[in-house]
Short mmCIF file of all heavy atoms in Angstrom, two decimals:
data_model
loop_
_atom_site.label_atom_id
_atom_site.label_comp_id
_atom_site.label_asym_id
_atom_site.label_seq_id
_atom_site.Cartn_x
_atom_site.Cartn_y
_atom_site.Cartn_z
N VAL A 288 -7.33 11.39 12.47
CA VAL A 288 -6.23 12.42 12.67
C VAL A 288 -5.71 12.98 11.36
O VAL A 288 -5.55 14.20 11.30
CB VAL A 288 -5.08 11.66 13.47
CG1 VAL A 288 -3.94 12.72 13.66
CG2 VAL A 288 -5.68 11.14 14.86
N VAL A 289 -5.48 12.12 10.42
CA VAL A 289 -5.07 12.64 9.12
C VAL A 289 -6.01 13.66 8.50
O VAL A 289 -5.67 14.61 7.97
CB VAL A 289 -4.80 11.46 8.17
CG1 VAL A 289 -4.48 11.91 6.75
CG2 VAL A 289 -3.66 10.58 8.73
N ASN A 290 -7.35 13.30 8.59
CA ASN A 290 -8.43 14.18 8.00
C ASN A 290 -8.29 15.59 8.49
O ASN A 290 -8.69 16.52 7.76
CB ASN A 290 -9.75 13.61 8.29
CG ASN A 290 -9.95 12.22 7.48
OD1 ASN A 290 -9.15 11.94 6.59
ND2 ASN A 290 -11.00 11.56 7.84
N THR A 291 -7.82 15.82 9.68
CA THR A 291 -7.69 17.15 10.21
C THR A 291 -6.75 18.05 9.64
O THR A 291 -6.71 19.31 9.74
CB THR A 291 -7.52 17.11 11.80
OG1 THR A 291 -6.20 16.54 12.04
CG2 THR A 291 -8.59 16.31 12.52
N PHE A 292 -5.75 17.38 8.82
CA PHE A 292 -4.82 18.17 8.18
C PHE A 292 -5.29 18.64 6.78
O PHE A 292 -4.39 19.36 6.07
CB PHE A 292 -3.55 17.30 7.95
CG PHE A 292 -2.79 17.11 9.33
CD1 PHE A 292 -3.16 15.98 10.18
CD2 PHE A 292 -1.74 17.95 9.80
CE1 PHE A 292 -2.44 15.80 11.35
CE2 PHE A 292 -1.18 17.79 10.97
CZ PHE A 292 -1.42 16.73 11.72
N GLY A 293 -6.42 18.38 6.37
CA GLY A 293 -7.00 18.95 5.21
C GLY A 293 -6.95 18.01 3.99
O GLY A 293 -6.25 16.93 3.94
N ALA A 294 -7.65 18.32 2.89
CA ALA A 294 -7.78 17.43 1.72
C ALA A 294 -6.42 17.22 1.01
O ALA A 294 -6.13 16.10 0.47
CB ALA A 294 -8.78 17.98 0.74
N ALA A 295 -5.61 18.25 0.91
CA ALA A 295 -4.29 18.10 0.21
C ALA A 295 -3.32 17.09 0.99
O ALA A 295 -2.76 16.19 0.32
CB ALA A 295 -3.53 19.42 0.18
N ALA A 296 -3.31 17.19 2.32
CA ALA A 296 -2.40 16.24 3.06
C ALA A 296 -3.13 14.82 2.97
O ALA A 296 -2.35 13.90 2.84
CB ALA A 296 -2.38 16.78 4.53
N LEU A 297 -4.40 14.81 2.96
CA LEU A 297 -5.15 13.50 2.84
C LEU A 297 -4.87 12.86 1.58
O LEU A 297 -4.63 11.62 1.41
CB LEU A 297 -6.53 13.66 3.13
CG LEU A 297 -7.48 12.46 2.93
CD1 LEU A 297 -7.00 11.29 3.86
CD2 LEU A 297 -8.96 12.82 3.25
N ALA A 298 -4.81 13.67 0.47
CA ALA A 298 -4.49 13.14 -0.91
C ALA A 298 -3.06 12.50 -0.98
O ALA A 298 -2.83 11.49 -1.48
CB ALA A 298 -4.65 14.18 -1.97
N GLY A 299 -2.14 13.27 -0.40
CA GLY A 299 -0.69 12.79 -0.25
C GLY A 299 -0.69 11.44 0.50
O GLY A 299 0.14 10.58 0.16
N TYR A 300 -1.30 11.50 1.68
CA TYR A 300 -1.30 10.35 2.56
C TYR A 300 -1.94 9.09 1.76
O TYR A 300 -1.43 8.00 1.85
CB TYR A 300 -2.13 10.68 3.77
CG TYR A 300 -2.14 9.51 4.79
CD1 TYR A 300 -1.05 9.15 5.54
CD2 TYR A 300 -3.37 8.85 4.95
CE1 TYR A 300 -1.13 8.05 6.39
CE2 TYR A 300 -3.48 7.76 5.82
CZ TYR A 300 -2.38 7.42 6.58
OH TYR A 300 -2.53 6.34 7.47
N SER A 301 -3.02 9.35 1.06
CA SER A 301 -3.70 8.35 0.35
C SER A 301 -2.78 7.80 -0.76
O SER A 301 -2.72 6.51 -0.93
CB SER A 301 -4.96 8.93 -0.35
OG SER A 301 -5.85 9.37 0.67
N ALA A 302 -2.14 8.62 -1.42
CA ALA A 302 -1.17 8.11 -2.47
C ALA A 302 -0.05 7.26 -1.82
O ALA A 302 0.33 6.29 -2.29
CB ALA A 302 -0.55 9.36 -3.23
N GLY A 303 0.48 7.78 -0.62
CA GLY A 303 1.49 7.01 0.12
C GLY A 303 0.90 5.69 0.56
O GLY A 303 1.72 4.63 0.50
N MET A 304 -0.30 5.55 0.96
CA MET A 304 -0.78 4.25 1.39
C MET A 304 -0.92 3.29 0.23
O MET A 304 -0.68 2.11 0.41
CB MET A 304 -2.22 4.42 1.94
CG MET A 304 -2.34 5.00 3.37
SD MET A 304 -3.86 4.75 4.07
CE MET A 304 -4.99 5.62 2.99
N ARG A 305 -1.24 3.81 -1.03
CA ARG A 305 -1.36 2.97 -2.11
C ARG A 305 0.04 2.36 -2.40
O ARG A 305 0.19 1.17 -2.72
CB ARG A 305 -1.87 3.71 -3.41
CG ARG A 305 -3.19 4.27 -3.22
CD ARG A 305 -4.22 3.05 -3.21
NE ARG A 305 -5.65 3.63 -3.26
CZ ARG A 305 -6.66 2.86 -3.06
NH1 ARG A 305 -6.59 1.58 -2.72
NH2 ARG A 305 -7.83 3.36 -3.18
N ILE A 306 1.10 3.14 -2.33
CA ILE A 306 2.45 2.73 -2.62
C ILE A 306 2.88 1.74 -1.52
O ILE A 306 3.55 0.73 -1.79
CB ILE A 306 3.35 3.99 -2.77
CG1 ILE A 306 3.00 4.68 -4.00
CG2 ILE A 306 4.92 3.40 -2.84
CD1 ILE A 306 3.66 5.96 -4.10
N GLU A 307 2.47 2.00 -0.27
CA GLU A 307 2.83 1.08 0.81
C GLU A 307 2.18 -0.26 0.58
O GLU A 307 2.78 -1.33 0.88
CB GLU A 307 2.31 1.62 2.22
CG GLU A 307 2.63 0.75 3.37
CD GLU A 307 2.26 1.31 4.73
OE1 GLU A 307 0.95 1.39 4.88
OE2 GLU A 307 3.06 1.80 5.53
N ASN A 308 1.00 -0.33 -0.04
CA ASN A 308 0.27 -1.54 -0.30
C ASN A 308 1.14 -2.35 -1.39
O ASN A 308 1.26 -3.59 -1.26
CB ASN A 308 -1.06 -1.27 -0.84
CG ASN A 308 -2.06 -0.83 0.18
OD1 ASN A 308 -1.81 -1.08 1.37
ND2 ASN A 308 -3.20 -0.26 -0.23
N TYR A 309 1.71 -1.60 -2.25
CA TYR A 309 2.71 -2.25 -3.19
C TYR A 309 3.75 -2.97 -2.47
O TYR A 309 4.26 -4.09 -2.77
CB TYR A 309 3.27 -1.29 -4.14
CG TYR A 309 2.73 -1.36 -5.54
CD1 TYR A 309 2.00 -0.36 -6.20
CD2 TYR A 309 3.06 -2.49 -6.35
CE1 TYR A 309 1.54 -0.46 -7.44
CE2 TYR A 309 2.66 -2.53 -7.66
CZ TYR A 309 1.84 -1.58 -8.20
OH TYR A 309 1.39 -1.66 -9.50
N CYS A 310 4.38 -2.26 -1.39
CA CYS A 310 5.49 -2.76 -0.68
C CYS A 310 5.09 -4.05 0.07
O CYS A 310 5.98 -4.85 0.34
CB CYS A 310 6.05 -1.75 0.28
SG CYS A 310 6.67 -0.12 -0.54
N CYS A 311 3.76 -4.11 0.47
CA CYS A 311 3.37 -5.28 1.29
C CYS A 311 3.06 -6.48 0.44
O CYS A 311 2.81 -7.56 1.01
CB CYS A 311 2.02 -4.80 2.03
SG CYS A 311 2.32 -3.66 3.37
N VAL A 312 3.13 -6.29 -0.94
CA VAL A 312 2.80 -7.45 -1.78
C VAL A 312 3.68 -8.72 -1.48
O VAL A 312 3.09 -9.79 -1.21
CB VAL A 312 2.93 -7.05 -3.25
CG1 VAL A 312 3.00 -8.24 -4.12
CG2 VAL A 312 1.74 -6.19 -3.67
N PRO A 313 5.06 -8.63 -1.37
CA PRO A 313 5.75 -9.85 -1.08
C PRO A 313 5.44 -10.27 0.33
O PRO A 313 5.41 -11.55 0.63
CB PRO A 313 7.20 -9.38 -1.27
CG PRO A 313 7.17 -7.89 -1.19
CD PRO A 313 5.87 -7.47 -1.76
N TRP A 314 5.21 -9.42 1.31
CA TRP A 314 4.97 -9.87 2.71
C TRP A 314 3.61 -10.63 2.75
O TRP A 314 3.64 -11.61 3.39
CB TRP A 314 4.84 -8.59 3.57
CG TRP A 314 6.06 -7.61 3.59
CD1 TRP A 314 5.85 -6.34 4.07
CD2 TRP A 314 7.37 -7.82 3.16
NE1 TRP A 314 7.12 -5.70 3.96
CE2 TRP A 314 8.01 -6.60 3.39
CE3 TRP A 314 8.01 -8.85 2.63
CZ2 TRP A 314 9.33 -6.32 3.07
CZ3 TRP A 314 9.48 -8.66 2.32
CH2 TRP A 314 10.04 -7.45 2.41
N THR A 315 2.63 -10.16 2.01
CA THR A 315 1.38 -10.91 2.10
C THR A 315 1.54 -12.27 1.42
O THR A 315 0.96 -13.34 1.90
CB THR A 315 0.33 -10.12 1.28
OG1 THR A 315 0.21 -8.79 1.92
CG2 THR A 315 -1.02 -10.79 1.30
N ALA A 316 2.21 -12.36 0.34
CA ALA A 316 2.52 -13.73 -0.33
C ALA A 316 3.32 -14.65 0.61
O ALA A 316 2.97 -15.77 0.69
CB ALA A 316 3.32 -13.44 -1.58
N PHE A 317 4.40 -14.09 1.25
CA PHE A 317 5.06 -14.93 2.16
C PHE A 317 4.38 -15.34 3.40
O PHE A 317 4.50 -16.53 3.92
CB PHE A 317 6.42 -14.17 2.70
CG PHE A 317 7.39 -13.87 1.53
CD1 PHE A 317 8.22 -12.71 1.58
CD2 PHE A 317 7.48 -14.62 0.32
CE1 PHE A 317 9.15 -12.47 0.57
CE2 PHE A 317 8.39 -14.33 -0.66
CZ PHE A 317 9.13 -13.24 -0.49
N ASN A 318 3.38 -14.41 3.90
CA ASN A 318 2.59 -14.79 5.06
C ASN A 318 1.70 -15.98 4.63
O ASN A 318 1.56 -16.96 5.39
CB ASN A 318 1.83 -13.50 5.41
CG ASN A 318 0.81 -13.70 6.55
OD1 ASN A 318 -0.40 -14.21 6.26
ND2 ASN A 318 1.15 -13.44 7.65
N SER A 319 1.08 -15.91 3.45
CA SER A 319 0.18 -16.88 3.07
C SER A 319 0.95 -18.19 2.80
O SER A 319 0.46 -19.31 3.08
CB SER A 319 -0.59 -16.48 1.77
OG SER A 319 -1.50 -17.47 1.32
N ALA A 320 2.14 -18.07 2.20
CA ALA A 320 2.94 -19.28 1.86
C ALA A 320 3.37 -19.98 3.05
O ALA A 320 3.20 -21.24 3.24
CB ALA A 320 4.17 -18.83 1.01
N ILE A 321 3.84 -19.32 4.09
CA ILE A 321 4.37 -19.99 5.26
C ILE A 321 3.23 -20.52 6.17
O ILE A 321 3.33 -21.60 6.72
CB ILE A 321 5.25 -19.11 6.16
CG1 ILE A 321 6.04 -19.85 7.22
CG2 ILE A 321 4.48 -17.90 6.76
CD1 ILE A 321 6.98 -20.92 6.79
N SER A 322 2.04 -19.86 6.01
CA SER A 322 0.86 -20.36 6.71
C SER A 322 0.41 -21.71 6.10
O SER A 322 0.17 -22.70 6.86
CB SER A 322 -0.32 -19.29 6.60
OG SER A 322 -1.44 -19.74 7.35
N THR A 323 0.25 -21.72 4.80
CA THR A 323 -0.10 -22.97 4.09
C THR A 323 0.91 -24.09 4.24
O THR A 323 0.58 -25.20 4.50
CB THR A 323 -0.40 -22.78 2.60
OG1 THR A 323 -1.37 -21.62 2.43
CG2 THR A 323 -0.84 -23.94 1.88
N TYR A 324 2.14 -23.67 4.21
CA TYR A 324 3.24 -24.67 4.33
C TYR A 324 3.25 -25.25 5.67
O TYR A 324 3.38 -26.51 5.85
CB TYR A 324 4.58 -23.91 4.15
CG TYR A 324 5.78 -24.63 4.42
CD1 TYR A 324 6.46 -25.36 3.37
CD2 TYR A 324 6.43 -24.52 5.66
CE1 TYR A 324 7.72 -25.99 3.65
CE2 TYR A 324 7.61 -25.23 5.84
CZ TYR A 324 8.25 -25.94 4.91
OH TYR A 324 9.40 -26.60 5.23
#
Side-chain angles (χ1 to χ4, degrees):
V288 175
V289 174
N290 290 346
T291 63
F292 288 88
L297 177 55
Y300 178 76
S301 300
M304 281 196 302
R305 296 296 189 189
I306 295 166
E307 183 178 67
N308 288 342
Y309 251 114
C310 298
C311 290
V312 163
W314 308 160
T315 303
F317 297 151
N318 176 279
S319 181
I321 192 63
S322 180
T323 303
Y324 173 90

